[in-house]
Amino acid sequence: MRLTTAGESHGRALTAIIEGLPANLTVETDEINTYLALRQSGYGRGARQKIESDRVEIISGVRNKRTLGSPLCLMVENKDYKNWEEYMSPYGADVTKRRLTKVRPGHADLTGLLKYDQTDARNILERASARETAVRVAAGTIARMLLRKLGVEVAGYVKSVEGIADERSYTFDEIKAAKSSELFMPDKVLCEKAKKRIDEIKDAKDTAGGIIEVHVRGMKSGFGSCMAYTEKLDAHLAYAAMSVQAIKGVEIGLGFEAARRPGSLVHDEIYYQNGKFIRKTNNAGGIEGGMSNGEEIVLRAAMKPIPTLMRGLDTVDFETKEACRAATERSDVCSVCACDVIMESVICFALAEKILSRLGGDNMRDLKARWDALPQ
């Protein structure tokens, strides 16, 4: 299975093409729209979320709510395009307006200008923008539907906002319920502290990041490989996570904490009970030797603060080479909730890729039969 996305932040629309989906997977657009709405929710979001109200449109690959086995094309329209068509139209645009030369630290602006031989950073930022993740959420929700047919579920929550961290452990069902919180945090007290901190950061015209924790329940053992480093499941998931804008670090299981402990407090001891192998701990986060081991997969991703600050940072003007303050674009103060939904979505897609690469199947009946034939 393969995903390709296209579109600019203020262009007409964002699109995605999914190749390799089995036929006869039921696709519910209402569920996709629910996750698109969740991506736009959360405390600390900016004004653009009120403009867009994202909705998915299926262009091809589905008939009567069922996939055909052909490439599936999705589109999410940018409703703000009507205000930008004069500057963004592919058929002729006024490129002298809405130019950006005061390159912003932490963005792709400067490096992109140099790499692609441009003089206007808008030609870089429009694609580098996290707005692109709207269609990745749409595609990831379709992958979520496929996983659900196999009994695999994915859920995440916000583990920290800036320095306000939740050190508790939660059951999978508790994590699923976290979406009812304004910050997708299970602990109500910590959620209120984090909201207060976001308000302080907003008043200072600054931004905040955080940590997202994603759990996967129901993934059978043996997906990934210890025989080829390119096929390791943890590497595949880390790649998916790091492909998301603003993600600067990924942990699986204990992650960096494993480096601070002796081996006796890291490795999950193995037992044999009631006819099967079990582990009483899950420090490995469900992956050993690059393969799923049947336990819950646990992954954490660190999101840096949004680099567009309303007060700007020191930089230079790419055109004049003079010192200045970075330009500002409409932005969020904190988008950890959006990041949580995006992380779940890319993990769903990455898992579906691994399952299909191992089991194949041109239709859901064949895929389900092969999945069911695997040991628990």
Side-chain angles (χ1 to χ4, degrees):
M1 191 165 69
R2 179 184 176 189
L3 172 64
T4 303
T5 72
E8 288 75 47
S9 179
H10 294 98
R12 180 170 172 246
L14 299 161
T15 58
I17 295 178
I18 306 173
E19 298 175 271
L21 267 175
N24 296 327
L25 171 67
T26 300
V27 174
E28 296 289 349
T29 55
D30 285 348
E31 182 175 354
I32 298 174
N33 290 332
T34 295
Y35 280 101
L36 287 174
L38 279 172
R39 176 190 167 276
Q40 294 184 286
S41 68
Y43 201 79
R45 299 307 304 277
R48 182 166 188 182
Q49 311 314 317
K50 299 175 183 177
I51 296 173
E52 295 296 352
S53 299
D54 289 336
R55 309 281 293 180
V56 70
E57 184 175 347
I58 298 176
I59 305 300
S60 68
V62 176
R63 184 183 184 211
N64 193 29
K65 295 187 175 183
R66 287 178 175 261
T67 56
L68 300 173
S70 57
L72 190 156
C73 182
L74 303 167
M75 182 178 78
V76 176
E77 182 184 5
N78 287 330
K79 292 183 175 62
D80 202 21
Y81 179 61
K82 63 181 182 292
N83 299 317
W84 285 79
E85 186 172 6
E86 177 185 353
Y87 323 111
M88 293 296 298
S89 173
Y91 308 109
D94 187 349
V95 296
T96 66
K97 296 180 180 178
R98 300 280 185 164
R99 292 188 75 232
L100 193 147
T101 58
K102 296 177 180 178
V103 290
R104 301 161 300 166
H107 277 276
D109 297 356
L110 178 56
T111 304
L113 284 171
L114 296 170
K115 175 178 173 65
Y116 293 104
D117 191 23
Q118 299 287 338
T119 57
D120 180 0
R122 182 151 309 281
N123 292 339
I124 307 304
L125 72 88
E126 286 289 334
R127 181 58 184 167
S129 169
R131 173 74 186 142
E132 178 266 349
T133 60
V135 285
R136 279 206 268 174
V137 168
T141 305
I142 290 177
R144 189 190 296 268
M145 295 172 191
L146 184 150
L147 295 176
R148 188 185 302 125
K149 291 294 184 182
L150 305 179
V152 179
E153 297 180 90
V154 177
Y157 71 102
V158 174
K159 191 170 183 66
S160 77
V161 174
E162 206 185 53
I164 300 171
D166 190 340
E167 302 300 340
R168 291 177 56 192
S169 296
Y170 295 99
T171 67
F172 191 88
D173 290 331
E174 287 173 328
I175 292 170
K176 287 174 65 176
K179 293 293 187 294
S180 62
S181 158
E182 284 186 271
L183 272 172
F184 298 176
M185 298 181 80
D187 189 307
K188 294 181 180 179
V189 174
L190 286 176
C191 180
E192 290 303 314
K193 287 183 178 179
K195 285 168 58 181
K196 182 179 179 181
R197 180 60 185 139
I198 289 172
D199 290 340
E200 293 170 350
I201 290 168
K202 182 177 181 180
D203 290 342
K205 296 184 178 180
D206 215 327
T207 57
I211 295 175
I212 309 302
E213 183 167 297
V214 177
H215 287 233
V216 180
R217 179 170 69 179
M219 190 71 175
K220 291 187 176 183
S221 66
F223 288 90
S225 176
C226 63
M227 300 301 180
Y229 71 88
T230 54
E231 298 300 318
K232 288 179 178 287
L233 179 61
D234 40 6
H236 189 64
L237 296 180
Y239 175 88
M242 290 295 291
S243 74
V244 175
Q245 293 87 336
I247 297 302
K248 302 302 287 184
V250 177
E251 295 183 319
I252 293 175
L254 285 179
F256 284 96
E257 176 61 25
R260 294 186 282 267
R261 296 186 183 186
S264 59
L265 298 179
V266 171
H267 305 295
D268 303 305
E269 294 180 307
I270 301 170
Y271 304 88
Y272 191 78
Q273 293 179 359
N274 301 320
K276 64 178 183 179
F277 297 100
I278 67 164
R279 298 165 182 81
K280 296 180 180 180
T281 58
N282 188 26
N283 294 331
I287 301 175
E288 291 177 305
M291 300 171 290
S292 57
N293 64 13
E295 303 291 334
E296 271 192 20
I297 293 173
V298 181
L299 179 146
R300 282 176 297 282
M303 177 190 183
K304 71 178 183 181
I306 297 163
T308 301
L309 278 65
M310 295 310 295
R311 58 184 171 89
L313 295 172
D314 287 343
T315 186
V316 297
D317 188 303
F318 183 79
E319 198 167 56
T320 68
K321 310 302 187 291
E322 294 178 354
C324 61
R325 299 291 280 183
T328 60
E329 295 271 317
R330 182 172 50 221
S331 180
D332 304 319
V333 176
C334 181
S335 57
V336 288
C337 291
C339 187
D340 171 67
V341 176
I342 296 162
M343 289 303 307
E344 288 183 32
S345 300
V346 299
I347 294 304
C348 283
F349 201 91
L351 291 172
E353 285 179 308
K354 276 297 180 187
I355 288 171
L356 287 169
S357 70
R358 181 184 180 190
L359 300 182
D362 294 318
N363 60 74
M364 288 302 297
R365 188 198 305 272
D366 288 350
L367 176 62
K368 184 68 163 57
R370 294 169 188 178
W371 173 270
D372 291 343
L374 295 173
Q376 293 294 328

